[in-house]
Amino acid sequence: MNAFTPLAGAAGGILIGLAAWVFYRGVGRIAGISGILAGVASGEGRRLKALFVIGLLAGAATVYFGFGQPPAVVSQADRMWLILAGLLVGFGTRLGSGCTSLRPGKAVEAFVRGDRDLLRRRRRHRLRGASCHWKLNPASPRWPPVRCSARAWRYRV
Amino acid sequence: MMNPAKVTGFLDFAGIRTGTWDPTLAFVMAGGLAVFAVGFRLSNRHSRPLFAPKYLAPAPGRVDWRLILGATMFGVGWGIAGLCPGPALAALVTAQIDIVIYFAAMTAGMALFAAFDRNS
């Protein structure tokens, strides 16, 4: 069993939030580790993402080695289970488009995004309505693809 | 979150009754949520990020089978190992063999997905 450490937890959370903020404001991306790792592998935005990984490792190493008392890292699962778990997490996070969309970090953003979405819904429908209108015009661009819902149609220009 | 015991301590909701539940992770979430909620809004007041042409936050997508299945697989793996991708990466600095094995398996899972995604 572990000691309950709310202050350390909240402090860590705040640092994560700040890091995500800096990353978003700086380069306009959501700091999701699974996407970043996949990007390093696939080459999409590799330089930026590799730098992020290096920074993360440097930060972790600083805390782990620099603060005199390396926090215990204890995994209770045995090897075979660890491997199975790793495969599931790796596959699952990519399938679900990002570890952050599934979990704390992203509960974070999902929340924020959720209510922004409410505010924007009407405007978006109106935009979609406009696109619907264009779609019926043979000269209209084929991209981006637009779904023409009845609701969107009502807002057409 | 680098310590798997902390995560499994949180996920073990049976511990609520026996008194061994460790709610620390909820504080991590709350701290991150509070800060990023503000940061995300303030950032979006600017038309573009400081060092890139535009914000690339994905639009909130629909909840589809990919998300649900992915989340389920993630949850099972997370519950077993107590490590999600970020902390697993950070925990590599401890150079523990278990962490390295887990990280390798996770990377293999991602590669499997990439193969699966190309074929479907």
Side-chain angles (χ1 to χ4, degrees):
Chain A
M1 160 192 177
N2 284 278
F4 171 44
T5 49
L7 286 182
I14 287 167
L15 288 177
I16 292 173
L18 282 174
W21 180 352
V22 168
F23 197 63
Y24 185 68
R25 180 74 186 98
V27 297
R29 286 169 185 272
I30 299 296
I33 307 299
S34 63
I36 286 171
L37 285 177
V40 172
S42 74
E44 194 250 314
R46 177 178 283 160
R47 209 174 76 94
L48 174 76
K49 291 174 178 177
L51 286 172
F52 183 95
V53 169
I54 292 168
L56 191 149
L57 289 172
T62 307
V63 175
Y64 188 72
F65 298 110
F67 280 47
Q69 37 149 22
V73 175
V74 192
S75 179
Q76 287 135 339
D78 67 38
R79 297 267 160 87
M80 288 318 290
W81 283 106
L82 267 185
I83 292 172
L84 175 67
L87 287 171
L88 283 170
V89 168
F91 196 96
T93 46
R94 298 304 302 151
L95 180 64
S97 57
C99 50
T100 49
S101 55
L102 312 174
R103 204 194 36 86
K106 188 76 176 202
V108 175
E109 289 148 25
F111 259 146
V112 179
R113 233 171 276 120
D115 47 5
R116 291 175 57 77
D117 193 25
L118 271 177
L119 294 170
R120 283 186 173 171
R121 193 161 291 158
R122 233 189 116 83
R123 188 160 22 128
R124 194 154 27 125
H125 270 287
R126 208 177 302 132
L127 278 175
R128 204 179 260 168
S131 317
C132 277
H133 193 68
W134 294 330
K135 212 177 184 183
L136 299 179
N137 174 349
S140 69
R142 288 276 168 265
W143 190 264
V146 188
R147 279 190 327 116
C148 247
S149 66
R151 180 140 173 241
W153 178 247
R154 262 187 294 152
Y155 289 111
R156 72 192 182 278
V157 280
Chain B
M1 288 201 294
M2 255 169 72
N3 186 350
K6 215 66 188 160
V7 174
T8 47
F10 174 75
L11 293 176
D12 181 17
F13 296 122
I16 295 174
R17 256 192 321 165
T18 56
T20 55
W21 186 48
D22 178 6
T24 302
L25 196 59
F27 286 76
V28 180
M29 265 184 250
L33 178 62
V35 173
F36 193 76
V38 175
F40 189 77
R41 276 158 194 272
L42 289 181
S43 298
N44 283 335
R45 286 191 189 170
H46 305 269
S47 60
R48 47 171 291 190
L50 293 170
F51 308 109
K54 62 176 181 174
Y55 287 115
L56 290 173
R62 211 158 302 161
V63 175
D64 56 5
W65 71 268
R66 290 170 79 105
L67 179 64
I68 292 171
L69 187 63
T72 308
M73 293 173 73
F74 170 80
V76 171
W78 195 40
I80 295 172
L83 277 171
C84 51
L89 176 62
L92 280 180
V93 303
T94 66
Q96 287 188 22
I97 187 71
D98 280 353
I99 304 284
V100 176
I101 288 174
Y102 177 78
F103 190 84
M106 194 178 81
T107 314
M110 290 180 175
L112 274 177
F113 173 77
F116 156 87
D117 203 31
R118 256 197 306 278
N119 292 331
S120 63

